[in-house]
Amino acid sequence: MGWAGSRWLSTSWVLLLLLGGAAGWLLGPLHSLLFLLPLSIAWLHRLLFAPLQRLRELHDVGYIPEPGASRRHTANEVRRRRKRGDLPPVYPNGWYRLLGSRQLPVAHVKCVTIFGEQVAVYRGQDGKAYVVDAYCPHLGANLAVGGRVMGNCIECPFHGWQFCGEDGKCTKIPYAEKVPDFAKIKTWPLCELNGTVYVWYHCDGLDPNWSIPEQSEIQSGEWVFRGKTEHYINCHIQEIPENAADVAHLTHLHSPAILSGNDIRNTRSSLWGFVQHKWEVQWSPELEPNKHCSQMLLHHSLHILGWHCPLLDLHIIARQVGPGLVYLLFNHSFLGQGVILHCVTPVEPLLQRVSHCIYYQGNIPAIIPKFMIMGESIQLERDIMIWNNKKYVLKPLLVKEDSAIVRHRRWYAQFYTQNSPRFSCQQDGLDW
């Protein structure tokens, strides 16, 4: 090959290198975009279509850690040191949420802590849900840890004893000739509706004397599940529903825009101060035969730079059913209809699990109810910052504008009876 051929080859290699570099420069970002595209699509799908899941632990919300201390450590220290006040009984009688129906497939078992105890919640092969004490009466194994569902019975993972979910009787002991008549386990009354499994608690073991109302739009599938939030709160259970009658706190604590966040130290100094929520509230108990219910009529309006934005006016009926369940019903000409199921479940005497599940009409874009429940969650977390750090005042210093609080406490007292358990200081050493 001559000099001309060598020069041509050299020039060709240079051109190829330059073209390769240019292609790399152009295709590099393109490759990154192609890599990020599925992630972006997945994120957009979750935002627009997938139900919202906002699950917070006790230490995630409402505590202010000292420099160098973790939120978990701070939460435990506040629980240990905080004054509790003269508390009412810790477990009111009534229906309480255990878990969502979709969390309990057929033949599955879950361990749930409620009222300071552990229960085994399982769904039998017949499709029905059952709740029994978690510990086998034989030698104490936890039925929810390794236990199997056999028909409508649950089998102990230790020795294979089987207990019927209907009445708690032992139906089989693999190595015994006869099952003793007295071999049984405690069962709990339950009902399943509105996409939720509820359990009945009464300190005297009495059967339910009122029922949970059915939300027909949920049962029929007309309203679709759009999201759930869950929080753990360090307070007495009565503090949470009492907020419905505390009209004054709405204006002071919840008027700053939800975009200003959940930390009440900063909400009033936020850049979002030009946006204000306005609340008008009326609370009243219902009469017989629904004396276990109360209603809060709430009108919400949004003001931007003092201008009322009527498009975002919301009229909400919050119906409390017993001590642990509230139906927040939305009805808006533009935003549609739906309900938030607000449930308070006592885990321990001063530890509550609060969940919000939103169901909304199916022809409304999912982003709307997801925004609603997210806003509800942020507003709730402002309350949590108060509840986690306050003490219960049995005889509060009130003014006449606080009269609804007195009426609410009088109404709520019906869920306590003479034998309702009270707080024991033995719980002081519990860590989260």
Side-chain angles (χ1 to χ4, degrees):
M1 182 181 297
W3 175 84
S6 300
R7 184 178 180 184
W8 180 85
L9 278 178
S10 301
T11 304
S12 299
W13 278 110
V14 170
L15 288 172
L16 285 174
L17 288 172
L18 288 173
L19 288 172
W25 180 79
L26 290 171
L27 293 176
L30 182 59
H31 182 270
S32 300
L33 287 173
L34 291 174
F35 175 77
L36 293 174
L37 186 59
L39 297 178
S40 302
I41 293 173
W43 177 85
L44 193 61
H45 179 270
R46 284 196 300 270
L47 177 66
L48 296 178
F49 303 107
L52 175 73
Q53 296 287 333
R54 182 177 170 87
L55 311 180
R56 311 300 291 271
E57 298 289 352
L58 175 66
H59 58 273
D60 288 336
V61 179
Y63 292 105
I64 305 173
E66 296 291 332
S70 67
R71 289 186 179 274
R72 187 183 295 271
H73 173 78
T74 301
N76 285 327
E77 285 299 297
V78 171
R79 296 184 76 194
R80 185 173 65 86
R81 295 174 180 172
R82 187 185 63 171
K83 289 186 177 181
R84 298 179 178 87
D86 192 359
L87 297 170
V90 290
Y91 301 138
N93 302 318
W95 288 102
Y96 295 95
R97 181 185 192 272
L98 279 175
L99 41 69
S101 297
R102 60 178 51 81
Q103 296 176 264
L104 196 65
V106 172
H108 280 64
V109 58
K110 300 279 187 179
C111 187
V112 179
T113 303
I114 186 170
F115 316 121
E117 302 181 32
Q118 287 193 315
V119 296
V121 189
Y122 69 95
R123 192 177 300 282
Q125 299 287 353
D126 55 3
K128 292 177 60 178
Y130 300 94
V131 183
V132 299
D133 274 1
Y135 298 108
C136 179
H138 175 218
L139 283 175
N142 192 319
L143 300 174
V145 181
R148 294 191 304 166
V149 177
M150 310 293 290
N152 69 339
C153 296
I154 186 166
E155 181 184 80
C156 176
F158 203 5
H159 297 91
W161 290 35
Q162 294 181 10
F163 298 91
C164 176
E166 294 281 358
D167 54 17
K169 290 183 179 179
C170 183
T171 59
K172 180 180 178 181
I173 301 176
Y175 53 88
E177 294 183 3
K178 181 183 178 182
V179 177
D181 293 336
F182 55 82
K184 64 183 304 184
I185 196 169
K186 177 183 175 181
T187 61
W188 296 70
L190 66 79
C191 71
E192 184 173 8
L193 77 165
N194 301 332
T196 306
V197 178
Y198 300 96
V199 67
W200 171 261
Y201 170 85
H202 196 287
C203 61
D204 298 316
L206 301 182
D207 291 332
N209 54 12
W210 50 270
S211 58
I212 298 173
E214 176 185 299
Q215 190 69 45
S216 59
E217 294 87 350
I218 296 177
Q219 295 293 98
S220 67
E222 180 183 346
W223 289 356
V224 182
F225 176 73
R226 292 303 192 190
K228 170 190 172 184
T229 68
E230 185 175 273
H231 296 78
Y232 286 86
I233 305 175
N234 178 23
C235 71
H236 188 279
I237 184 174
Q238 187 174 320
E239 302 265 26
I240 298 172
E242 193 170 285
N243 256 20
D246 185 2
V247 178
H249 98 283
L250 286 169
T251 300
H252 190 76
L253 188 63
H254 297 295
S255 62
I258 59 173
L259 293 172
S260 61
N262 59 11
D263 190 331
I264 59 178
R265 296 172 297 172
N266 305 322
T267 52
R268 293 188 174 274
S269 60
S270 168
L271 294 173
W272 295 98
F274 62 92
V275 181
Q276 293 286 306
H277 300 279
K278 301 292 183 183
W279 311 90
E280 297 175 18
V281 181
Q282 289 182 334
W283 178 88
S284 61
E286 296 185 20
L287 303 176
E288 290 283 8
N290 296 321
K291 69 172 186 176
H292 59 279
C293 300
S294 67
Q295 283 200 26
M296 178 178 71
L297 304 179
L298 187 149
H299 173 70
H300 165 269
S301 59
L302 189 70
H303 294 253
I304 303 173
L305 293 173
W307 175 73
H308 175 211
C309 182
L311 188 63
L312 295 179
D313 280 5
L314 274 178
H315 298 274
I316 302 168
I317 299 176
R319 190 184 192 213
Q320 171 129 16
V321 182
L325 174 62
V326 179
Y327 292 69
L328 292 163
L329 287 159
F330 298 86
N331 191 345
H332 193 279
S333 57
F334 174 69
L335 299 178
Q337 295 179 315
V339 64
I340 292 179
L341 299 180
H342 164 90
C343 300
V344 184
T345 302
V347 179
E348 295 172 5
L350 296 181
L351 180 63
Q352 318 303 326
R353 181 170 62 248
V354 175
S355 64
H356 290 85
C357 296
I358 189 167
Y359 291 83
Y360 225 77
Q361 61 183 84
N363 60 344
I364 297 294
I367 192 69
I368 291 176
K370 287 171 70 174
F371 176 79
M372 286 182 173
I373 196 172
M374 190 65 183
E376 171 72 16
S377 178
I378 292 172
Q379 293 284 18
L380 175 74
E381 288 172 5
R382 296 180 188 177
D383 288 306
I384 292 175
M385 200 166 186
I386 299 292
W387 290 324
N388 279 354
N389 297 279
K390 76 185 295 293
K391 76 170 186 177
Y392 182 85
V393 181
L394 182 64
K395 297 180 179 179
L397 179 60
L398 302 174
V399 295
K400 67 177 183 179
E401 289 80 4
D402 295 322
S403 61
I405 296 176
V406 178
R407 290 187 289 121
H408 186 278
R409 290 191 174 190
R410 195 178 300 130
W411 171 80
Y412 199 87
Q414 67 180 296
F415 305 115
Y416 303 126
T417 50
Q418 184 177 356
N419 295 322
S420 292
R422 291 188 174 271
F423 178 75
S424 170
C425 290
Q426 293 177 350
Q427 299 290 336
D428 283 357
L430 289 174
D431 283 340
W432 178 259

